[in-house]
Amino acid sequence: MRKKRNEKFSNLRIKNVNVTSFEELSNKSPFRYFNMHKKKLATKEHFPILIEGIVSFLQEIDLTRTIPKNMFLEELDSFIEEAEINSEVSVISRTKNVITNNIYKIYSKGLREFHSFRGELLEYLTVHLEKDTESKIYHEPIFQHKRKKLIEKSFAGQGCLIDVVKVHEKGVEIKLIECKATLDNHINALKGGYPTKDSGKNFLKKINYMIYIDDTLSRYKSNKNDNIKVTKVLISLKEHKRVLPSRYDDFKTVNLLEVIREKIDNKTFSELFQKATIRQQ
């Protein structure tokens, strides 16, 4: 759809394709337990430490071999214990046991289930950690212009959705966030921007989609008549070491564990977790 430059932000709509998508994710184990005890957990110092330990474990777990239950739980517990020692906070034993056993149950179902869990955990935490009082959070939304789909013509990223979109209440800033459990694998599959395998081609489509959205939003003015600032972010659960090709140097790459530790240090983790909601309209 051809549009005039400097369209007002009020003509732009961001709408969840499936408003129950995050709700369905939240009802899975162990996220169901988090939600059932959200207010209680969010007021406890132990909850951020528990999450830090789990994410640290998921960064280091060797998925090339099968790990017996006792070893799996011992290793997971050791990472949580390290987070406890570093923060001088002890996680409540019952809470720890419920969560670690639920995670092992997922692992015992096979690597496909466990890979899905890692990706879902990344999305779940990203939604909560990005929330603030001046923004709205959307999960896998579409962009519309005056109630019509913003992107109608064919392009390289057609059919893609962005995992998490954060929009400033006054339309000053929009953050596009794509979650990748193992970002290094995707960067490697990208082959410098000329992928040959489906995994790399799909990743390139997602990158192109984010670029196209960014370019399209540059035609809009915020409600304060300022240009809208768009940030493109790739967040990874596993620590990433590879870098994107230079042509994509305006993408920001983020390690989830670093975000968690920053929020813990600033004592904002629990507050964000408690207040996070998904925008539905």
Side-chain angles (χ1 to χ4, degrees):
M1 178 176 64
R2 180 176 296 178
K3 304 214 306 293
K4 298 179 181 178
R5 295 194 62 82
N6 297 337
E7 285 278 4
K8 295 299 292 181
F9 178 78
S10 56
N11 290 330
L12 177 70
R13 288 171 59 87
I14 302 174
K15 184 176 181 180
N16 288 324
V17 179
N18 178 6
V19 295
T20 64
S21 62
F22 191 76
E23 181 181 343
E24 291 172 353
L25 172 59
S26 299
N27 282 328
K28 292 186 176 181
S29 179
F31 313 122
R32 185 188 311 111
Y33 182 86
F34 295 160
N35 286 339
M36 287 173 60
H37 302 276
K38 182 178 289 188
K39 291 185 178 180
K40 182 179 178 181
L41 288 170
T43 60
K44 299 291 185 181
E45 288 184 316
H46 70 253
F47 184 65
I49 308 307
L50 175 66
I51 295 299
E52 179 184 357
I54 292 171
V55 173
S56 298
F57 168 74
L58 293 175
Q59 283 198 350
E60 300 297 332
I61 184 173
D62 182 2
L63 296 179
T64 64
R65 62 188 178 94
T66 302
I67 306 173
K69 180 177 181 179
N70 62 332
M71 185 180 295
F72 182 97
L73 294 176
E74 285 175 6
E75 290 187 13
L76 177 51
D77 187 71
S78 69
F79 278 95
I80 297 173
E81 183 178 354
E82 182 178 350
E84 290 175 308
I85 292 172
N86 291 338
S87 299
E88 299 182 343
V89 173
S90 296
V91 177
I92 296 173
S93 296
R94 181 183 178 279
T95 301
K96 185 192 302 186
N97 292 337
V98 169
I99 298 300
T100 55
N101 277 284
N102 270 307
I103 293 175
Y104 177 75
K105 286 180 182 178
I106 298 169
Y107 175 78
S108 67
K109 293 178 181 178
L111 286 183
R112 179 176 293 184
E113 289 280 346
F114 199 67
H115 282 146
S116 295
F117 161 70
R118 291 190 312 164
E120 290 168 349
L121 177 66
L122 177 57
E123 288 188 29
Y124 181 84
L125 291 176
T126 298
V127 165
H128 287 86
L129 294 172
E130 283 293 331
K131 181 62 179 175
D132 58 48
T133 57
E134 297 180 342
S135 302
K136 300 169 185 171
I137 301 291
Y138 299 81
H139 186 237
E140 299 183 339
I142 58 172
F143 293 79
Q144 294 180 324
H145 175 77
K146 296 181 178 179
R147 299 184 181 274
K148 293 183 179 180
K149 198 170 181 179
L150 184 64
I151 301 172
E152 293 181 347
K153 68 177 184 179
S154 298
F155 73 106
Q158 189 175 21
C160 292
L161 293 173
I162 299 169
D163 290 327
V164 180
V165 176
K166 179 178 180 178
V167 183
H168 190 278
E169 289 279 2
K170 296 182 179 179
V172 180
E173 298 180 11
I174 295 179
K175 183 184 288 189
L176 312 175
I177 309 171
E178 178 65 16
C179 301
K180 296 297 181 188
T182 53
L183 182 57
D184 274 354
N185 290 350
H186 288 84
I187 294 177
N188 183 49
L190 192 60
K191 299 298 181 185
Y194 303 96
T196 56
K197 295 183 179 180
D198 287 345
S199 57
K201 291 177 181 178
N202 291 335
F203 185 45
L204 182 59
K205 284 182 179 180
K206 184 61 67 79
I207 287 177
N208 284 335
Y209 179 75
M210 295 174 76
I211 292 172
Y212 194 93
I213 289 291
D214 185 359
D215 291 343
T216 304
L217 294 179
S218 68
R219 302 171 187 173
Y220 286 79
K221 291 284 188 178
S222 73
N223 295 338
K224 298 175 67 176
N225 211 37
D226 297 325
N227 288 324
I228 297 174
K229 178 182 177 182
V230 179
T231 305
K232 301 185 292 294
V233 179
L234 300 173
I235 185 167
S236 180
L237 186 145
K238 287 185 68 69
E239 183 179 6
H240 58 279
K241 299 178 181 179
R242 296 179 182 272
V243 296
L244 289 165
S246 58
R247 73 187 70 179
Y248 308 122
D249 58 5
D250 59 337
F251 278 75
K252 181 179 180 182
T253 56
V254 176
N255 181 345
L256 175 66
L257 189 57
E258 291 179 0
V259 177
I260 290 172
R261 287 173 173 165
E262 177 186 352
K263 301 296 185 184
I264 291 175
D265 290 343
N266 295 336
K267 300 187 184 302
T268 57
F269 182 104
S270 296
E271 180 181 355
L272 291 171
F273 181 87
Q274 190 171 8
K275 293 181 177 180
T277 55
I278 292 295
R279 180 70 174 177
Q280 299 184 10
Q281 60 180 42

